[in-house]
Amino acid sequence: MKGKNYKFVRCVSIFALAVAIILDTACAVFSVYSIISLRERADFWGIAFVVIMLFSDALGVLFTKETLSNGVKFFDDYVEFTGIDENNVYKYSDIERVESSRDTRASLRKNLVDRYSNVTLYLRDESIVSIQLGLTSGKTLKKITDELTSHLSVSYTHLRAHET
């Protein structure tokens, strides 16, 4: 199910983006420090420090790439949720109804997971698929649901925080 033309809506949490920037910055600083320390101390531990830092740089780049690649791809005849490993492609013709929710009520007792944006797809085969998009903004959730409903001729419901 590979298509060429699609619209991509990125689902990036501000917290994940901040962690990625801090991680990449710290890795770059420590890599420079490890190369400088290798000039002064060219023994096994200096070389090991450089190798470890190069490995952590590669992990930081992969984490940032994964963070920035999460989102929703809207093709002509199906939708793909890229943040999910399996069962992430749904044909528009299989979707019967769509609901979305995002908790915006103030509370000091809730975890960050309780604040995730959710999209629920009711499929024609009587199955229900709940997809967590992460800590997205209301604007991003609206963009996703508007694009999804523009491809469908089905009902759409946005649930408020007190309804979930």
Side-chain angles (χ1 to χ4, degrees):
M1 292 178 124
K2 296 290 180 190
K4 293 182 181 179
N5 298 328
Y6 63 87
K7 181 176 180 181
F8 182 68
V9 178
R10 193 175 314 275
C11 296
V12 179
S13 162
I14 191 70
F15 298 112
L17 187 61
V19 167
I21 290 170
I22 291 168
L23 176 69
D24 289 344
T25 304
C27 286
V29 168
F30 275 110
S31 293
V32 170
Y33 175 73
S34 68
I35 292 171
I36 291 171
S37 70
L38 184 63
R39 285 183 177 169
E40 298 169 2
R41 184 178 169 185
D43 62 352
F44 171 77
W45 295 111
I47 294 170
F49 188 43
V50 170
V51 170
I52 290 170
M53 286 315 305
L54 291 175
F55 182 70
S56 66
D57 285 343
L59 286 178
V61 167
L62 291 174
F63 174 75
T64 303
K65 180 182 175 277
E66 180 65 25
T67 300
L68 296 177
S69 69
N70 286 340
V72 183
K73 290 181 181 179
F74 297 97
F75 293 90
D76 292 335
D77 55 346
Y78 65 94
V79 61
E80 178 181 356
F81 295 89
T82 61
I84 304 172
D85 291 333
E86 55 188 34
N87 298 329
N88 63 342
V89 177
Y90 300 96
K91 290 184 178 180
Y92 296 126
S93 60
D94 294 340
I95 300 172
E96 190 173 276
R97 187 167 54 117
V98 178
E99 288 182 358
S100 70
S101 64
R102 181 173 173 268
D103 191 359
T104 57
R105 291 188 309 178
S107 174
L108 296 175
R109 295 185 294 153
K110 291 183 180 176
N111 294 325
L112 287 177
V113 176
D114 297 330
R115 303 282 184 193
Y116 280 6
S117 295
N118 297 303
V119 173
T120 306
L121 304 175
Y122 294 86
L123 303 179
R124 298 207 189 280
D125 64 355
E126 304 290 323
S127 61
I128 300 171
V129 180
S130 181
I131 300 167
Q132 289 186 339
L133 299 175
L135 292 170
T136 60
S137 66
K139 181 179 173 183
T140 302
L141 182 60
K142 183 168 177 20
K143 219 188 274 189
I144 290 169
T145 53
D146 287 349
E147 186 68 28
L148 190 58
T149 54
S150 72
H151 286 89
L152 304 170
S153 58
V154 298
S155 64
Y156 163 71
T157 307
H158 178 73
L159 300 177
R160 304 250 187 259
H162 62 280
E163 296 174 321
T164 58

